[in-house]
């Protein structure tokens, strides 16, 4: 019991000593702060004059108005009007092929085959390899294969322009080596 009492006295003395260090005498800190304030010089870099704003005047004189009735009327007629004007349009009634479910940038050419029936491109999409020949479709933009060689496949895609007319676009798939995934 006597040892417990000694421990309590020692702990009490340590607590009192640690609290004594927390006195409110901060005179040395205040003196240092006054010295620093007295010696500090304010930064007086001149601020540059702001640039003058010059508004841009848009002049559309001599250009086609994108909101004209004639321009908007052509877009509202749809794909049937494009076909009647002699434009191209995709065949939406034909059965879609397997490679048309994938975007063209996710399809890779991984090989080439040739036999008596013709030339075939080996196209990979999502770890499956498909045989494709001229006349098959690939990609989501109605891309029809027009030419197959040992190193590339050429496609003709149909995409809509800003007005809504269908236009043809040539695209090429290059053969990929086996290291790229």
């Amino acid at each position: 019991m006597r040892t417990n009492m000694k421990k309590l006295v020692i702990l009490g003395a340590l607590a009192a000593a640690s609290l004594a260090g927390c006195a409110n005498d901060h005179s040395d800190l205040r003196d240092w702060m006054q010295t620093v304030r007295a010696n500090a010089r304010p930064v007086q870099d001149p601020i540059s004059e702001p640039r003058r704003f010059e508004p841009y005047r848009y002049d559309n004189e001599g250009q086609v108005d994108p909101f004209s009735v004639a321009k908007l009327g052509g877009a509202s007629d749809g794909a049937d009007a494009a076909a009647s004007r002699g434009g191209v349009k995709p065949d939406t009634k034909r059965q879609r092929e397997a490679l048309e479910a994938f975007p063209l940038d996710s399809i890779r050419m991984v090989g080439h085959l040739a036999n008596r029936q013709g030339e075939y491109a080996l196209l990979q999409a999502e770890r499956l390899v498909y045989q494709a020949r001229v006349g098959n479709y690939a990609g989501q933009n109605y891309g029809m294969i027009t030419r197959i060689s040992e190193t590339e496949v050429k496609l003709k895609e149909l995409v809509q322009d800003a007005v809504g007319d269908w236009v043809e676009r040539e695209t090429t798939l290059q053969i990929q080596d086996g290291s790229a995934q």
Side-chain angles (χ1 to χ4, degrees):
M1 183 125 181
R2 209 163 185 24
T3 59
N4 286 340
M5 196 61 124
K6 283 184 181 180
K7 288 181 183 177
L8 282 175
V9 170
I10 292 173
L11 282 175
L14 284 174
S18 64
L19 288 175
C22 295
N24 287 336
D25 185 24
H26 299 295
S27 61
D28 59 340
L29 180 61
R30 286 191 187 107
D31 291 340
W32 177 78
M33 289 295 293
Q34 286 177 350
T35 305
V36 169
R37 283 188 192 125
N39 293 334
R41 302 280 181 240
V43 178
Q44 295 184 357
D45 291 338
I47 298 174
S48 63
E49 188 72 24
R51 290 187 300 160
R52 181 159 175 77
F53 175 72
E54 294 181 25
Y56 176 76
R57 178 162 176 81
Y58 176 72
D59 185 19
N60 64 352
E61 193 172 317
Q63 296 179 0
V64 177
D65 181 15
F67 302 105
S68 69
V69 177
K71 192 78 163 173
L72 292 175
S76 65
D77 291 345
D80 294 333
S84 67
R85 290 191 304 257
V88 295
K89 73 173 192 169
D91 182 10
T92 55
K93 294 185 174 39
R94 68 170 176 77
Q95 186 174 352
R96 308 266 301 181
E97 297 182 17
L99 285 171
E100 289 184 276
F102 306 102
L104 201 56
D105 59 354
S106 70
I107 300 173
R108 299 176 348 137
M109 181 182 180
V110 294
H112 174 264
L113 294 173
N115 60 16
R116 282 184 252 154
Q117 283 82 23
E119 290 186 292
Y120 295 89
L122 299 179
L123 302 177
Q124 182 181 11
E126 289 186 358
R127 300 183 190 240
L128 292 175
V129 177
Y130 299 89
Q131 286 185 12
R133 59 182 172 191
V134 173
N136 286 132
Y137 288 84
Q140 295 175 333
N141 290 326
Y142 305 101
M144 184 171 69
I145 298 173
T146 57
R147 192 170 72 82
I148 297 174
S149 71
E150 291 182 12
T151 59
E152 66 184 15
V153 174
K154 290 209 180 267
L155 294 104
K156 188 180 292 185
E157 293 183 302
L158 292 177
V159 293
Q160 285 185 310
D161 63 5
V163 180
D165 292 336
W166 291 96
V167 293
E168 292 181 345
R169 175 175 68 185
E170 292 278 333
T171 309
T172 304
L173 289 176
Q174 301 285 333
I175 193 159
Q176 303 288 313
D177 61 359
S179 63
Q181 279 293 349

mmCIF file of all heavy atoms in Angstrom, residues 133-167:
data_model
loop_
_atom_site.group_PDB
_atom_site.id
_atom_site.type_symbol
_atom_site.label_atom_id
_atom_site.label_comp_id
_atom_site.label_asym_id
_atom_site.label_seq_id
_atom_site.Cartn_x
_atom_site.Cartn_y
_atom_site.Cartn_z
ATOM 1 N N ARG A 133 -15.306 -11.220 -96.233
ATOM 2 C CA ARG A 133 -14.865 -11.071 -97.621
ATOM 3 C C ARG A 133 -15.494 -9.813 -98.199
ATOM 4 O O ARG A 133 -16.310 -9.148 -97.549
ATOM 5 C CB ARG A 133 -15.221 -12.304 -98.433
ATOM 6 C CG ARG A 133 -16.680 -12.605 -98.471
ATOM 7 C CD ARG A 133 -16.941 -13.866 -99.251
ATOM 8 N NE ARG A 133 -18.342 -14.205 -99.097
ATOM 9 C CZ ARG A 133 -18.856 -15.338 -99.458
ATOM 10 N NH1 ARG A 133 -18.094 -16.244 -99.996
ATOM 11 N NH2 ARG A 133 -20.133 -15.566 -99.292
ATOM 12 N N VAL A 134 -15.127 -9.481 -99.424
ATOM 13 C CA VAL A 134 -15.653 -8.285 -100.077
ATOM 14 C C VAL A 134 -17.179 -8.401 -100.147
ATOM 15 O O VAL A 134 -17.726 -9.435 -100.528
ATOM 16 C CB VAL A 134 -15.042 -8.127 -101.492
ATOM 17 C CG1 VAL A 134 -15.717 -6.985 -102.238
ATOM 18 C CG2 VAL A 134 -13.542 -7.893 -101.398
ATOM 19 N N GLY A 135 -17.857 -7.331 -99.740
ATOM 20 C CA GLY A 135 -19.317 -7.314 -99.724
ATOM 21 C C GLY A 135 -19.894 -7.494 -98.332
ATOM 22 O O GLY A 135 -21.054 -7.164 -98.107
ATOM 23 N N ASN A 136 -19.105 -8.017 -97.382
ATOM 24 C CA ASN A 136 -19.563 -8.122 -95.997
ATOM 25 C C ASN A 136 -19.530 -6.742 -95.343
ATOM 26 O O ASN A 136 -18.877 -5.820 -95.823
ATOM 27 C CB ASN A 136 -18.684 -9.082 -95.197
ATOM 28 C CG ASN A 136 -18.943 -10.533 -95.546
ATOM 29 O OD1 ASN A 136 -18.005 -11.286 -95.774
ATOM 30 N ND2 ASN A 136 -20.192 -10.957 -95.593
ATOM 31 N N TYR A 137 -20.259 -6.615 -94.242
ATOM 32 C CA TYR A 137 -20.337 -5.359 -93.516
ATOM 33 C C TYR A 137 -19.605 -5.488 -92.185
ATOM 34 O O TYR A 137 -19.596 -6.556 -91.566
ATOM 35 C CB TYR A 137 -21.796 -4.967 -93.262
ATOM 36 C CG TYR A 137 -22.516 -4.517 -94.506
ATOM 37 C CD1 TYR A 137 -23.101 -5.437 -95.375
ATOM 38 C CD2 TYR A 137 -22.607 -3.171 -94.819
ATOM 39 C CE1 TYR A 137 -23.758 -5.019 -96.514
ATOM 40 C CE2 TYR A 137 -23.261 -2.749 -95.959
ATOM 41 C CZ TYR A 137 -23.837 -3.672 -96.801
ATOM 42 O OH TYR A 137 -24.479 -3.256 -97.928
ATOM 43 N N ALA A 138 -19.008 -4.377 -91.739
ATOM 44 C CA ALA A 138 -18.313 -4.333 -90.454
ATOM 45 C C ALA A 138 -18.419 -2.928 -89.884
ATOM 46 O O ALA A 138 -18.409 -1.945 -90.620
ATOM 47 C CB ALA A 138 -16.844 -4.718 -90.618
ATOM 48 N N GLY A 139 -18.514 -2.812 -88.585
ATOM 49 C CA GLY A 139 -18.606 -1.511 -87.931
ATOM 50 C C GLY A 139 -20.043 -1.040 -87.827
ATOM 51 O O GLY A 139 -20.952 -1.597 -88.435
ATOM 52 N N GLN A 140 -20.247 0.000 -87.057
ATOM 53 C CA GLN A 140 -21.595 0.495 -86.778
ATOM 54 C C GLN A 140 -22.040 1.612 -87.713
ATOM 55 O O GLN A 140 -23.130 2.145 -87.559
ATOM 56 C CB GLN A 140 -21.667 0.970 -85.321
ATOM 57 C CG GLN A 140 -21.467 -0.174 -84.353
ATOM 58 C CD GLN A 140 -21.416 0.283 -82.914
ATOM 59 O OE1 GLN A 140 -21.047 1.397 -82.618
ATOM 60 N NE2 GLN A 140 -21.786 -0.612 -82.012
ATOM 61 N N ASN A 141 -21.208 1.951 -88.708
ATOM 62 C CA ASN A 141 -21.569 3.000 -89.665
ATOM 63 C C ASN A 141 -21.826 2.416 -91.053
ATOM 64 O O ASN A 141 -21.437 3.008 -92.053
ATOM 65 C CB ASN A 141 -20.472 4.070 -89.730
ATOM 66 C CG ASN A 141 -20.407 4.890 -88.478
ATOM 67 O OD1 ASN A 141 -21.412 5.152 -87.851
ATOM 68 N ND2 ASN A 141 -19.202 5.284 -88.095
ATOM 69 N N TYR A 142 -22.484 1.279 -91.124
ATOM 70 C CA TYR A 142 -22.824 0.636 -92.394
ATOM 71 C C TYR A 142 -21.586 0.470 -93.280
ATOM 72 O O TYR A 142 -21.622 0.745 -94.478
ATOM 73 C CB TYR A 142 -23.909 1.424 -93.144
ATOM 74 C CG TYR A 142 -25.143 1.660 -92.322
ATOM 75 C CD1 TYR A 142 -25.370 2.885 -91.702
ATOM 76 C CD2 TYR A 142 -26.085 0.653 -92.158
ATOM 77 C CE1 TYR A 142 -26.502 3.107 -90.940
ATOM 78 C CE2 TYR A 142 -27.223 0.865 -91.390
ATOM 79 C CZ TYR A 142 -27.424 2.084 -90.790
ATOM 80 O OH TYR A 142 -28.551 2.295 -90.036
ATOM 81 N N GLY A 143 -20.481 0.016 -92.685
ATOM 82 C CA GLY A 143 -19.223 -0.128 -93.420
ATOM 83 C C GLY A 143 -19.191 -1.401 -94.241
ATOM 84 O O GLY A 143 -19.220 -2.505 -93.714
ATOM 85 N N MET A 144 -19.138 -1.257 -95.573
ATOM 86 C CA MET A 144 -19.082 -2.409 -96.463
ATOM 87 C C MET A 144 -17.637 -2.606 -96.922
ATOM 88 O O MET A 144 -16.957 -1.652 -97.308
ATOM 89 C CB MET A 144 -19.980 -2.219 -97.688
ATOM 90 C CG MET A 144 -20.002 -3.459 -98.574
ATOM 91 S SD MET A 144 -21.221 -3.400 -99.893
ATOM 92 C CE MET A 144 -20.565 -2.139 -100.937
ATOM 93 N N ILE A 145 -17.160 -3.841 -96.860
ATOM 94 C CA ILE A 145 -15.792 -4.159 -97.270
ATOM 95 C C ILE A 145 -15.725 -4.094 -98.794
ATOM 96 O O ILE A 145 -16.489 -4.771 -99.484
ATOM 97 C CB ILE A 145 -15.370 -5.539 -96.741
ATOM 98 C CG1 ILE A 145 -15.392 -5.529 -95.208
ATOM 99 C CG2 ILE A 145 -14.010 -5.930 -97.274
ATOM 100 C CD1 ILE A 145 -15.148 -6.869 -94.563
ATOM 101 N N THR A 146 -14.800 -3.272 -99.306
ATOM 102 C CA THR A 146 -14.682 -3.097 -100.752
ATOM 103 C C THR A 146 -13.436 -3.758 -101.326
ATOM 104 O O THR A 146 -13.410 -4.080 -102.506
ATOM 105 C CB THR A 146 -14.659 -1.600 -101.118
ATOM 106 O OG1 THR A 146 -13.571 -0.976 -100.427
ATOM 107 C CG2 THR A 146 -15.966 -0.929 -100.744
ATOM 108 N N ARG A 147 -12.393 -3.934 -100.503
ATOM 109 C CA ARG A 147 -11.160 -4.545 -101.003
ATOM 110 C C ARG A 147 -10.411 -5.194 -99.855
ATOM 111 O O ARG A 147 -10.364 -4.657 -98.752
ATOM 112 C CB ARG A 147 -10.265 -3.485 -101.658
ATOM 113 C CG ARG A 147 -9.103 -4.071 -102.448
ATOM 114 C CD ARG A 147 -8.386 -3.010 -103.266
ATOM 115 N NE ARG A 147 -7.593 -2.091 -102.475
ATOM 116 C CZ ARG A 147 -6.351 -2.342 -102.039
ATOM 117 N NH1 ARG A 147 -5.779 -3.475 -102.321
ATOM 118 N NH2 ARG A 147 -5.704 -1.439 -101.347
ATOM 119 N N ILE A 148 -9.817 -6.371 -100.130
ATOM 120 C CA ILE A 148 -9.021 -7.092 -99.136
ATOM 121 C C ILE A 148 -7.659 -7.379 -99.745
ATOM 122 O O ILE A 148 -7.565 -7.876 -100.865
ATOM 123 C CB ILE A 148 -9.699 -8.420 -98.726
ATOM 124 C CG1 ILE A 148 -11.050 -8.145 -98.058
ATOM 125 C CG2 ILE A 148 -8.792 -9.218 -97.809
ATOM 126 C CD1 ILE A 148 -11.840 -9.386 -97.746
ATOM 127 N N SER A 149 -6.611 -7.041 -99.012
ATOM 128 C CA SER A 149 -5.254 -7.413 -99.420
ATOM 129 C C SER A 149 -4.601 -8.126 -98.236
ATOM 130 O O SER A 149 -5.216 -8.300 -97.185
ATOM 131 C CB SER A 149 -4.452 -6.180 -99.831
ATOM 132 O OG SER A 149 -4.137 -5.395 -98.701
ATOM 133 N N GLU A 150 -3.342 -8.504 -98.379
ATOM 134 C CA GLU A 150 -2.660 -9.217 -97.305
ATOM 135 C C GLU A 150 -2.399 -8.330 -96.095
ATOM 136 O O GLU A 150 -2.218 -8.822 -94.996
ATOM 137 C CB GLU A 150 -1.331 -9.780 -97.820
ATOM 138 C CG GLU A 150 -1.505 -10.901 -98.810
ATOM 139 C CD GLU A 150 -0.175 -11.467 -99.274
ATOM 140 O OE1 GLU A 150 0.862 -11.151 -98.660
ATOM 141 O OE2 GLU A 150 -0.186 -12.234 -100.242
ATOM 142 N N THR A 151 -2.383 -7.017 -96.276
ATOM 143 C CA THR A 151 -2.034 -6.119 -95.175
ATOM 144 C C THR A 151 -3.160 -5.192 -94.728
ATOM 145 O O THR A 151 -3.036 -4.553 -93.686
ATOM 146 C CB THR A 151 -0.840 -5.238 -95.583
ATOM 147 O OG1 THR A 151 -1.200 -4.500 -96.749
ATOM 148 C CG2 THR A 151 0.394 -6.070 -95.837
ATOM 149 N N GLU A 152 -4.256 -5.104 -95.494
ATOM 150 C CA GLU A 152 -5.305 -4.170 -95.107
ATOM 151 C C GLU A 152 -6.661 -4.555 -95.686
ATOM 152 O O GLU A 152 -6.762 -5.327 -96.631
ATOM 153 C CB GLU A 152 -4.960 -2.739 -95.529
ATOM 154 C CG GLU A 152 -4.905 -2.525 -97.023
ATOM 155 C CD GLU A 152 -4.470 -1.118 -97.397
ATOM 156 O OE1 GLU A 152 -3.940 -0.396 -96.535
ATOM 157 O OE2 GLU A 152 -4.673 -0.744 -98.560
ATOM 158 N N VAL A 153 -7.684 -3.985 -95.071
ATOM 159 C CA VAL A 153 -9.068 -4.133 -95.525
ATOM 160 C C VAL A 153 -9.611 -2.723 -95.744
ATOM 161 O O VAL A 153 -9.525 -1.873 -94.852
ATOM 162 C CB VAL A 153 -9.931 -4.867 -94.471
ATOM 163 C CG1 VAL A 153 -11.381 -4.882 -94.882
ATOM 164 C CG2 VAL A 153 -9.432 -6.267 -94.245
ATOM 165 N N LYS A 154 -10.160 -2.459 -96.921
ATOM 166 C CA LYS A 154 -10.754 -1.150 -97.208
ATOM 167 C C LYS A 154 -12.260 -1.268 -97.073
ATOM 168 O O LYS A 154 -12.864 -2.227 -97.553
ATOM 169 C CB LYS A 154 -10.375 -0.675 -98.604
ATOM 170 C CG LYS A 154 -8.921 -0.306 -98.731
ATOM 171 C CD LYS A 154 -8.750 0.759 -99.789
ATOM 172 C CE LYS A 154 -7.306 1.123 -99.930
ATOM 173 N NZ LYS A 154 -6.916 2.237 -99.122
ATOM 174 N N LEU A 155 -12.853 -0.268 -96.416
ATOM 175 C CA LEU A 155 -14.293 -0.226 -96.205
ATOM 176 C C LEU A 155 -14.842 1.101 -96.698
ATOM 177 O O LEU A 155 -14.147 2.110 -96.684
ATOM 178 C CB LEU A 155 -14.632 -0.347 -94.714
ATOM 179 C CG LEU A 155 -14.298 -1.654 -94.037
ATOM 180 C CD1 LEU A 155 -13.072 -1.505 -93.197
ATOM 181 C CD2 LEU A 155 -15.447 -2.086 -93.189
ATOM 182 N N LYS A 156 -16.096 1.077 -97.085
ATOM 183 C CA LYS A 156 -16.815 2.298 -97.452
ATOM 184 C C LYS A 156 -17.961 2.421 -96.455
ATOM 185 O O LYS A 156 -18.886 1.603 -96.447
ATOM 186 C CB LYS A 156 -17.339 2.209 -98.879
ATOM 187 C CG LYS A 156 -17.914 3.501 -99.390
ATOM 188 C CD LYS A 156 -18.413 3.367 -100.812
ATOM 189 C CE LYS A 156 -17.227 3.174 -101.736
ATOM 190 N NZ LYS A 156 -17.626 3.149 -103.150
ATOM 191 N N GLU A 157 -17.880 3.454 -95.588
ATOM 192 C CA GLU A 157 -18.896 3.670 -94.558
ATOM 193 C C GLU A 157 -19.888 4.732 -95.013
ATOM 194 O O GLU A 157 -19.567 5.581 -95.842
ATOM 195 C CB GLU A 157 -18.255 4.140 -93.256
ATOM 196 C CG GLU A 157 -17.381 3.128 -92.579
ATOM 197 C CD GLU A 157 -16.846 3.651 -91.269
ATOM 198 O OE1 GLU A 157 -16.185 4.691 -91.262
ATOM 199 O OE2 GLU A 157 -17.111 2.996 -90.250
ATOM 200 N N LEU A 158 -21.082 4.691 -94.462
ATOM 201 C CA LEU A 158 -22.099 5.717 -94.696
ATOM 202 C C LEU A 158 -22.350 6.436 -93.379
ATOM 203 O O LEU A 158 -22.750 5.812 -92.394
ATOM 204 C CB LEU A 158 -23.403 5.097 -95.201
ATOM 205 C CG LEU A 158 -23.372 4.479 -96.593
ATOM 206 C CD1 LEU A 158 -24.714 3.843 -96.923
ATOM 207 C CD2 LEU A 158 -23.032 5.532 -97.626
ATOM 208 N N VAL A 159 -22.094 7.732 -93.365
ATOM 209 C CA VAL A 159 -22.311 8.535 -92.171
ATOM 210 C C VAL A 159 -23.140 9.750 -92.547
ATOM 211 O O VAL A 159 -23.161 10.169 -93.697
ATOM 212 C CB VAL A 159 -20.974 8.982 -91.528
ATOM 213 C CG1 VAL A 159 -20.222 7.795 -90.965
ATOM 214 C CG2 VAL A 159 -20.113 9.715 -92.519
ATOM 215 N N GLN A 160 -23.820 10.308 -91.558
ATOM 216 C CA GLN A 160 -24.635 11.492 -91.807
ATOM 217 C C GLN A 160 -23.820 12.740 -91.534
ATOM 218 O O GLN A 160 -23.078 12.807 -90.556
ATOM 219 C CB GLN A 160 -25.875 11.483 -90.920
ATOM 220 C CG GLN A 160 -26.929 10.503 -91.396
ATOM 221 C CD GLN A 160 -28.184 10.600 -90.570
ATOM 222 O OE1 GLN A 160 -28.132 10.578 -89.358
ATOM 223 N NE2 GLN A 160 -29.317 10.694 -91.243
ATOM 224 N N ASP A 161 -23.974 13.739 -92.415
ATOM 225 C CA ASP A 161 -23.304 15.008 -92.196
ATOM 226 C C ASP A 161 -24.177 15.897 -91.318
ATOM 227 O O ASP A 161 -25.210 15.457 -90.808
ATOM 228 C CB ASP A 161 -22.929 15.678 -93.530
ATOM 229 C CG ASP A 161 -24.139 16.035 -94.377
ATOM 230 O OD1 ASP A 161 -25.283 15.858 -93.907
ATOM 231 O OD2 ASP A 161 -23.952 16.487 -95.515
ATOM 232 N N ALA A 162 -23.781 17.149 -91.142
ATOM 233 C CA ALA A 162 -24.490 18.060 -90.244
ATOM 234 C C ALA A 162 -25.926 18.340 -90.685
ATOM 235 O O ALA A 162 -26.793 18.603 -89.863
ATOM 236 C CB ALA A 162 -23.718 19.367 -90.133
ATOM 237 N N VAL A 163 -26.186 18.255 -91.975
ATOM 238 C CA VAL A 163 -27.525 18.528 -92.490
ATOM 239 C C VAL A 163 -28.407 17.291 -92.390
ATOM 240 O O VAL A 163 -29.617 17.385 -92.398
ATOM 241 C CB VAL A 163 -27.429 19.025 -93.953
ATOM 242 C CG1 VAL A 163 -28.792 19.320 -94.518
ATOM 243 C CG2 VAL A 163 -26.560 20.243 -94.031
ATOM 244 N N GLY A 164 -27.808 16.137 -92.295
ATOM 245 C CA GLY A 164 -28.572 14.902 -92.230
ATOM 246 C C GLY A 164 -28.468 14.076 -93.489
ATOM 247 O O GLY A 164 -29.093 13.025 -93.595
ATOM 248 N N ASP A 165 -27.688 14.537 -94.474
ATOM 249 C CA ASP A 165 -27.487 13.774 -95.700
ATOM 250 C C ASP A 165 -26.469 12.672 -95.449
ATOM 251 O O ASP A 165 -25.528 12.841 -94.673
ATOM 252 C CB ASP A 165 -26.975 14.683 -96.825
ATOM 253 C CG ASP A 165 -28.024 15.698 -97.270
ATOM 254 O OD1 ASP A 165 -29.229 15.428 -97.073
ATOM 255 O OD2 ASP A 165 -27.620 16.748 -97.795
ATOM 256 N N TRP A 166 -26.657 11.535 -96.108
ATOM 257 C CA TRP A 166 -25.718 10.429 -95.997
ATOM 258 C C TRP A 166 -24.568 10.646 -96.966
ATOM 259 O O TRP A 166 -24.784 10.958 -98.133
ATOM 260 C CB TRP A 166 -26.422 9.102 -96.302
ATOM 261 C CG TRP A 166 -27.404 8.726 -95.251
ATOM 262 C CD1 TRP A 166 -28.741 8.955 -95.272
ATOM 263 C CD2 TRP A 166 -27.129 8.071 -94.017
ATOM 264 N NE1 TRP A 166 -29.326 8.477 -94.123
ATOM 265 C CE2 TRP A 166 -28.355 7.923 -93.338
ATOM 266 C CE3 TRP A 166 -25.965 7.588 -93.417
ATOM 267 C CZ2 TRP A 166 -28.446 7.318 -92.091
ATOM 268 C CZ3 TRP A 166 -26.064 6.985 -92.177
ATOM 269 C CH2 TRP A 166 -27.291 6.861 -91.516
ATOM 270 N N VAL A 167 -23.352 10.513 -96.463
ATOM 271 C CA VAL A 167 -22.160 10.649 -97.292
ATOM 272 C C VAL A 167 -21.271 9.425 -97.083
ATOM 273 O O VAL A 167 -21.294 8.800 -96.026
ATOM 274 C CB VAL A 167 -21.369 11.939 -96.961
ATOM 275 C CG1 VAL A 167 -22.161 13.163 -97.338
ATOM 276 C CG2 VAL A 167 -20.970 11.986 -95.509
#
